[in-house]
Amino acid sequence: LYEHPVSPFAQKVKIALAEKGVAFESRLPDLLGGGAESEFAAANPRREVPALVDGETAVFDSTVILEYIEDRWPTPPLLPASPAERARVRMLEELCDTYYEAVNWAAFEIQFFRRATGELAEQLLARIADQRGRANAYLERQLAGRPFLNGAAFGWGDLAALPAVFAASFTGTPPAAGSRLAAWFEQVQKRPSVAATLAAASAAIPGFEMIPQLV
């Protein structure tokens, strides 16, 4: 698995593999200077993480990788059983991959890369907190009558949302105290697959402070 510990898209793939009990080798590609002919570029011509190489099969895009994992190692299943619930979980993933991740990345741009400072940074971070609150409210509604975002058991919906909620919490916007989402977040962090993935992310985040100088 070509990945970076901070990538939310790599995080959900690593959690899925761990939940399936699939052993894998993690490789950190040269994202800034990798050549077009590198093994990583061969696995993913977009040169983005994650990319999964399974024998002669190379798969890129985190959602496509999750689909491949589910087909390749069907037990235990990560998707709910019914078509309606599967669609609900896939929509949840789409929201987190597009809207929530974009908002989180904006916070990283300000807090780590200093794209804005002073009053402008404060205004932008306040707007980010509001947008995150709306995303968390959506996730809160998904937990109504369900112990997990995926439904009765931990699965696709949970591992898709977890990276977004973690990134928001790490940079100042955790789930509201006493909410169902806060209880869910505390619960899922106890799973070995999640704990290992988040520990690796937390250890790698300080390295982001060097990126403005490198670029």
Side-chain angles (χ1 to χ4, degrees):
L1 178 68
Y2 290 99
E3 59 109 355
H4 190 286
V6 175
S7 166
F9 305 104
Q11 288 167 15
K12 64 181 184 178
V13 169
K14 291 198 292 184
I15 295 171
L17 288 169
E19 289 289 330
K20 296 279 190 180
V22 178
F24 64 95
E25 176 188 352
S26 180
R27 293 187 182 181
L28 183 65
D30 182 0
L31 297 174
L32 295 178
E37 303 305 321
S38 69
E39 292 181 1
F40 174 53
N44 184 354
R46 298 193 311 199
R47 282 182 277 181
E48 297 172 345
V49 293
L52 180 69
V53 179
D54 178 29
E56 298 299 317
T57 301
V59 188
F60 63 85
D61 185 88
S62 62
T63 301
V64 179
I65 294 173
L66 288 183
E67 295 281 3
Y68 177 80
I69 291 171
E70 190 74 350
D71 291 339
R72 176 78 166 79
W73 299 282
T75 305
L78 293 177
L79 279 169
S82 76
E85 281 295 284
R86 288 183 178 217
R88 181 187 64 82
V89 163
R90 287 179 169 125
M91 288 187 289
L92 186 156
E93 181 190 19
E94 176 67 12
L95 174 99
C96 291
D97 279 0
T98 56
Y99 179 80
Y100 208 152
E101 162 56 16
V103 174
N104 283 337
W105 186 255
F108 271 75
E109 290 278 0
I110 297 166
Q111 294 172 320
F112 287 90
F113 301 163
R114 306 298 179 190
R115 304 292 193 188
T117 58
E119 183 178 352
L120 176 58
E122 293 178 5
Q123 292 174 352
L124 292 172
L125 290 172
R127 178 62 175 145
I128 285 169
D130 176 68
Q131 291 173 312
R132 284 169 163 174
R134 294 172 188 272
N136 284 348
Y138 173 86
L139 296 177
E140 178 82 4
R141 293 193 295 273
Q142 298 301 306
L143 285 166
R146 301 183 181 95
F148 294 96
L149 289 169
N150 204 60
F154 181 92
W156 195 301
D158 304 285
L159 62 87
L162 186 280
V165 177
F166 169 70
S169 299
F170 192 90
T171 51
T173 315
S179 64
R180 290 188 295 262
L181 188 63
W184 165 86
F185 188 45
E186 181 179 1
Q187 178 185 9
V188 296
Q189 287 183 81
K190 297 175 182 177
R191 301 183 73 86
S193 63
V194 174
T197 298
L198 297 189
S202 297
I205 283 176
F208 264 54
E209 296 174 356
M210 297 185 299
I211 290 182
Q213 290 75 31
L214 292 173
V215 177

